[in-house]
Amino acid sequence: MKLTKEEQDMLAGKHGNAAKKSMEILVALGEIYGAENMIPVFSVQIAGVSYHNLGDAGLDYLEELSRDGKVRVLTTLNPAGMDLEDWRKLGISEDFAAKQLKVVDAFSKMGVIPSCTCTPYFVGNLPRFGEHIAWSESSAVCFANSVLGARTNREGGPSALAAALTGRTPNYGMHLDKNRQPQAIIKVKPKLKTVPDFGELGYAIGKKIGNKIPFITGVKSANTEQLKSFCASIATYGGTALFHIKGITPERVKKPAGEAVEINSGDLEAARAAMNDDCVPDFVSLGCPHASLNELRRIAELLKGKKVAVETWIAVARPVKELADKAGYSGAIEDAGAKLACDTCMVVAPLKGRFKCMATDSAKACFYARGTNNFKVRIGTVEQCIKAAVSGKWS
Ligand code: F3S
C-alpha cells in the first residue's frame, strides 16, 4: 500500500503506541482487500461496546490503547450493555455495571463521545452525501451508505477504533464507485405501510439475494423510521451494506443490472410468519434501531393514561430522550410504567433467561432476541406492541 509520510510515521510508532497498533490493523486490512492507499475519514461509529461481548480481554485492549490514544475525528459509540446512569432500574448487576463503566471510561479517555446509540445520525454524527466514514453497526452502516449516500465499509469494532485513532481507513470496497452498483433488481409489488412491513421486506429481500446490492423499485414512499427499520432488517437477514430504492435513496445508479427478483404479498406474509412464534409476550421492546423523537411521540400518545402489564422497554439515545423529556413524551411513557432505556438495547444488555417471549416492531430485534437471548418473538406494529404491553395479550 502507498502510505503518506504521516501514515508511515504512525506505523513506525512516532505518534505513539495506539496510533501504531491502529495503523498496523488498517494496513493489514488494506493488504487483504487490495487497497492502494488510505483515505481520510469524516467520522467514526464504534460498535462492540457492551462488556457482555467484550469481556476482560476486550477491556484490557481498550485500556492499553487509552494510555496514549486520542481520536482524530468525530467518533461516537454504539449501545453499551446498560443504561449508564439508571442501570439499576433495568435490573443490571453491580459487577457488570462496574466493568461496563470501565469500558466507557476507556473510550472517553480516547476522546470518543459516549453517545451509546446505534442511531448516531440522530445525535450529531451526520455525514453528508459522498463523504468517507468508517462505521461499524450494520444498521447504521446501511443507513449511512444508502439513505445518506455516505461511504463506509462494514467495519468491526477494532477497525473502526483504529480509523478513529488515525483518521484514516483503507480505500477499498464501499469507498469505490465501482463497488456501489446494484447486483440485483427487486420489484416490490405490495404496498408498504408500517414499520414492520419494511422490516418484513428487508427479511424477504435478504433471504432471496443475500449480501448483493439491490436496486429496489415499487416502493412509493418511505419515512425515516421505516428506512431505519429496513436498513436494520436487510443488513441482518442478507448482510448487504448498501441498497438503492428508486426515487427514495440519493445515489445515482448508472444501469441497474443483475438477477430480477419479485417480492409479492406472499413473501411478506411468509416473513411475518417466520418472525411470529406461538407465544404470549412477557416483554415488549421497541426502539431497534434506537427510537426517533417521532416514534417516542407516538408511543407516548398510545400509552397516555394507561398502565403496562408486562416489562416494556423503549431503547433510545440519551439526547433524544432529553428532548422527549422536554416535550412531555417521557412523562407519559414512564407514568404508564414503561422504561426508557438509554445507552443500551435488549440485545446488548445481559437479558438471557429473564423473559420468554418478546413483542417488537423490529425484524432485526426478532433475529437477535432469538439468537442471543433465546426468547420467542412476536412482530407487529407499534400499536399492536403497546396493546400487548397494556393487556398482557397478543392480538
Ligand atoms: Fe440498535 Fe440494539 Fe437494534 S444496537 S439496531 S437497538 S439490536
Side-chain angles (χ1 to χ4, degrees), residues 62-103:
L62 290 173
E63 287 184 331
E64 185 197 331
L65 290 187
S66 74
R67 279 184 209 116
D68 73 346
K70 282 279 173 269
V71 300
R72 290 178 166 229
V73 293
L74 178 72
T75 304
T76 46
L77 269 192
N78 225 37
M82 62 183 200
D83 190 310
L84 297 181
E85 292 176 11
D86 240 351
W87 45 272
R88 284 188 186 85
K89 107 183 151 185
L90 303 181
I92 303 292
S93 74
E94 298 274 341
D95 286 354
F96 183 90
K99 297 280 193 178
Q100 183 64 73
L101 291 172
K102 279 188 176 183
V103 168

Side-chain angles (χ1 to χ4, degrees), residues 247-381:
I248 291 177
T249 53
E251 199 154 320
R252 274 191 61 193
V253 167
K254 282 181 200 139
K255 207 171 172 4
E259 64 173 310
V261 174
E262 193 176 287
I263 300 286
N264 54 42
S265 48
D267 293 313
L268 297 193
E269 276 159 28
R272 195 167 316 141
M275 291 185 281
N276 263 297
D277 295 315
D278 185 13
C279 64
V280 179
D282 57 352
F283 180 43
V284 174
S285 174
L286 297 167
C288 172
H290 276 178
S292 68
L293 201 51
N294 207 21
E295 285 174 311
L296 294 182
R297 185 185 64 79
R298 179 66 183 139
I299 295 165
E301 252 172 36
L302 292 167
L303 279 175
K304 198 157 187 218
K306 305 207 172 91
K307 287 278 176 224
V308 296
V310 298
E311 181 86 359
T312 301
W313 287 21
I314 299 114
V316 62
R318 189 170 296 282
V320 174
K321 185 206 173 258
E322 284 165 2
L323 287 172
D325 292 348
K326 291 188 182 136
Y329 307 153
S330 308
I333 292 168
E334 287 170 339
D335 286 350
K339 293 169 185 168
L340 287 160
C342 291
D343 315 315
T344 189
C345 80
M346 80 298 154
V347 167
V348 291
L351 288 186
K352 205 169 184 169
R354 272 182 63 187
F355 306 105
K356 290 194 170 61
C357 174
M358 184 188 86
T360 180
D361 63 349
S362 161
K364 176 176 178 175
C366 289
F367 180 88
Y368 284 101
R370 279 177 175 158
T372 309
N373 288 331
N374 270 345
F375 299 160
K376 291 189 167 175
V377 294
R378 287 283 194 183
I379 191 168
T381 60

Side-chain angles (χ1 to χ4, degrees), residues 87-390:
W87 45 272
R88 284 188 186 85
K89 107 183 151 185
L90 303 181
I92 303 292
S93 74
E94 298 274 341
D95 286 354
F96 183 90
K99 297 280 193 178
Q100 183 64 73
L101 291 172
K102 279 188 176 183
V103 168
V104 173
D105 277 355
F107 278 121
S108 299
K109 225 173 132 197
M110 290 185 264
V112 178
I113 300 164
S115 48
C116 295
T117 180
C118 49
T119 52
Y121 40 90
F122 286 159
V123 300
N125 189 351
L126 184 66
R128 66 174 173 75
F129 185 87
E131 225 152 25
H132 295 279
I133 57 177
W135 283 20
S136 42
E137 168 48 42
S138 63
S139 69
V141 163
C142 209
F143 194 93
N145 273 323
S146 315
V147 180
L148 303 176
R151 296 182 168 215
T152 178
N153 287 315
R154 262 173 86 139
E155 301 293 345
S159 65
L161 177 57
L165 293 171
T166 58
R168 309 286 204 283
T169 197
N171 193 13
Y172 72 95
M174 287 292 125
H175 294 286
L176 303 172
D177 281 344
K178 65 173 188 190
N179 297 326
R180 297 178 66 88
Q181 294 305 310
Q183 299 157 318
I185 304 169
I186 313 289
K187 193 168 181 182
V188 179
K189 304 286 273 187
K191 219 172 153 199
L192 307 171
K193 293 190 203 116
T194 65
V195 163
D197 287 349
F198 278 82
E200 286 151 14
L201 180 67
Y203 178 105
I205 296 176
K207 291 281 178 193
K208 285 194 190 232
I209 64 161
N211 66 0
K212 287 184 185 151
I213 300 169
F215 178 76
I216 302 165
T217 65
V219 177
K220 300 277 176 293
S221 68
N223 62 32
T224 301
E225 288 75 17
Q226 291 164 339
L227 288 169
K228 163 170 84 76
S229 188
F230 179 67
C231 288
S233 177
I234 195 168
T236 297
Y237 292 99
T240 188
L242 168 66
F243 59 82
H244 305 281
I245 305 182
K246 191 177 178 197
I248 291 177
T249 53
E251 199 154 320
R252 274 191 61 193
V253 167
K254 282 181 200 139
K255 207 171 172 4
E259 64 173 310
V261 174
E262 193 176 287
I263 300 286
N264 54 42
S265 48
D267 293 313
L268 297 193
E269 276 159 28
R272 195 167 316 141
M275 291 185 281
N276 263 297
D277 295 315
D278 185 13
C279 64
V280 179
D282 57 352
F283 180 43
V284 174
S285 174
L286 297 167
C288 172
H290 276 178
S292 68
L293 201 51
N294 207 21
E295 285 174 311
L296 294 182
R297 185 185 64 79
R298 179 66 183 139
I299 295 165
E301 252 172 36
L302 292 167
L303 279 175
K304 198 157 187 218
K306 305 207 172 91
K307 287 278 176 224
V308 296
V310 298
E311 181 86 359
T312 301
W313 287 21
I314 299 114
V316 62
R318 189 170 296 282
V320 174
K321 185 206 173 258
E322 284 165 2
L323 287 172
D325 292 348
K326 291 188 182 136
Y329 307 153
S330 308
I333 292 168
E334 287 170 339
D335 286 350
K339 293 169 185 168
L340 287 160
C342 291
D343 315 315
T344 189
C345 80
M346 80 298 154
V347 167
V348 291
L351 288 186
K352 205 169 184 169
R354 272 182 63 187
F355 306 105
K356 290 194 170 61
C357 174
M358 184 188 86
T360 180
D361 63 349
S362 161
K364 176 176 178 175
C366 289
F367 180 88
Y368 284 101
R370 279 177 175 158
T372 309
N373 288 331
N374 270 345
F375 299 160
K376 291 189 167 175
V377 294
R378 287 283 194 183
I379 191 168
T381 60
V382 65
E383 288 79 11
Q384 275 176 293
C385 290
I386 294 296
K387 209 168 152 199
V390 171

